Amino acid sequence: RHFSKGSRGARGHGWFKKYRAGLGGRHLQGRWHARDREKLSGINDDVFALNTRENVDDRPTCTYLDLSLDGSDPRRITIELATAALPLTCENFTKLCSSGRVLSPENAQDRDAEWGYESTIVHKIEKGVGLCFGDVLGQNGNAGRCHPSLWAPGTNHPYSPPYTFADEAYIISHVGPGIVSMLKSGVDENDSRFIITTDDTPQLDGRCIAFGRVREGLDVIEDIAANVFTKKGTPTVEIKVAGCGVA
């Protein structure tokens, strides 16, 4: 109760001005104003630099996605992975990029079917946040599946859905556009869904496992985010992963 006494009000002096400016603060929506993006970017660089120091030559550190907008010629984005620091998460992403394609309703229950990112779509565009990819099942963002080689009954916690794996580490910050991060339904429920950010997104830190960053083709992501109309977040044109693999 003592926080509500005095002339400042319960939310502090100048709370409305800070709120309108997106600065955030105590009890406010928005971004926390004491965020050292330069320092966090330096930490991210150190994490990715582990790929050279830890000698991961036998494991892929770079993948690509070819995005086609409404049937147009594909445009490529290249993604650098933090393979040394987050081996499990990066292995899942790499395998989904290099084998299989989106599942049809007919073979969704087939345990022998191979699935991957090829022919999946951008199912949602969160303005000021990022582009959402990777639903290999319904193409609507409601579900996903990790690569089958990473899951077996009992490998995750007892109440987790099938074809999910545990959170690995929150060591990469979402400090700007181009960060590649897992999307999930709950704790330790990572599957195939992921997001590529289009802005500084501190609200994802501690919630989503960031494991990569766009090295080439960030203009493709920014162009889609700026110019594609959406209806409640769903793109009005089809944005398809026409091809993908290990770079």
Side-chain angles (χ1 to χ4, degrees):
R1 292 179 60 87
H2 69 278
F3 284 120
S4 61
K5 294 180 179 179
S7 61
R8 295 184 305 143
R11 289 179 273 193
H13 179 71
W15 70 269
F16 187 67
K17 182 177 180 181
K18 290 181 180 179
Y19 173 75
R20 293 294 296 272
L23 297 177
R26 175 182 286 276
H27 306 314
L28 297 184
Q29 298 177 2
R31 298 176 181 174
W32 180 250
H33 58 276
R35 178 175 168 85
D36 192 339
R37 292 179 58 186
E38 184 176 349
K39 180 179 179 180
L40 293 173
S41 295
I43 295 174
N44 287 357
D45 291 338
D46 291 339
V47 173
F48 285 100
L50 291 174
N51 287 342
T52 56
R53 294 205 297 266
E54 297 298 323
N55 190 18
V56 293
D57 294 338
D58 59 330
R59 290 173 287 169
T61 59
C62 203
T63 59
Y64 68 88
L65 301 174
D66 292 332
L67 302 184
S68 174
L69 180 61
D70 201 22
S72 62
D73 293 336
R75 301 169 67 187
R76 176 164 293 190
I77 62 171
T78 305
I79 298 171
E80 180 184 7
L81 304 175
T83 304
L86 300 162
L88 180 63
T89 308
C90 293
E91 181 183 0
N92 176 64
F93 187 79
T94 301
K95 288 184 174 180
L96 290 173
C97 280
S98 55
S99 65
R101 56 188 292 119
V102 63
L103 288 171
S104 64
E106 293 75 22
N107 61 9
Q109 303 302 322
D110 185 0
R111 289 179 175 269
D112 296 326
E114 288 193 5
W115 54 86
Y117 290 138
E118 185 178 344
S119 297
T120 58
I121 62 172
V122 175
H123 57 263
K124 193 169 187 180
I125 299 177
E126 291 281 1
K127 296 296 183 182
V129 181
L131 277 60
C132 303
F133 298 76
D135 185 350
V136 299
L137 289 175
Q139 298 275 54
N140 53 18
N142 291 335
R145 285 184 178 180
C146 71
H147 194 270
S149 66
L150 302 181
W151 181 85
T155 55
N156 204 350
H157 67 79
Y159 304 105
S160 63
Y163 298 104
T164 59
F165 61 95
D167 298 336
E168 201 163 15
Y170 298 98
I171 54 178
I172 297 176
S173 299
H174 302 79
V175 292
I179 298 296
V180 186
S181 185
M182 297 300 296
L183 291 173
K184 57 182 181 176
S185 302
V187 178
D188 293 331
E189 294 182 1
N190 300 281
D191 43 53
S192 58
R193 293 167 295 173
F194 65 98
I195 185 171
I196 300 179
T197 62
T198 56
D199 202 348
D200 180 36
T201 50
Q203 65 269 32
L204 300 184
D205 289 348
R207 294 186 177 184
C208 300
I209 304 292
F211 62 93
R213 60 185 176 184
V214 175
R215 191 171 68 180
E216 297 176 3
L218 184 58
D219 59 314
V220 179
I221 299 297
E222 293 175 338
D223 182 47
I224 292 173
N227 298 312
V228 173
F229 289 101
T230 62
K231 185 176 181 180
K232 295 183 178 180
T234 303
T236 55
V237 297
E238 185 179 68
I239 307 168
K240 179 179 285 189
V241 178
C244 53
V246 176

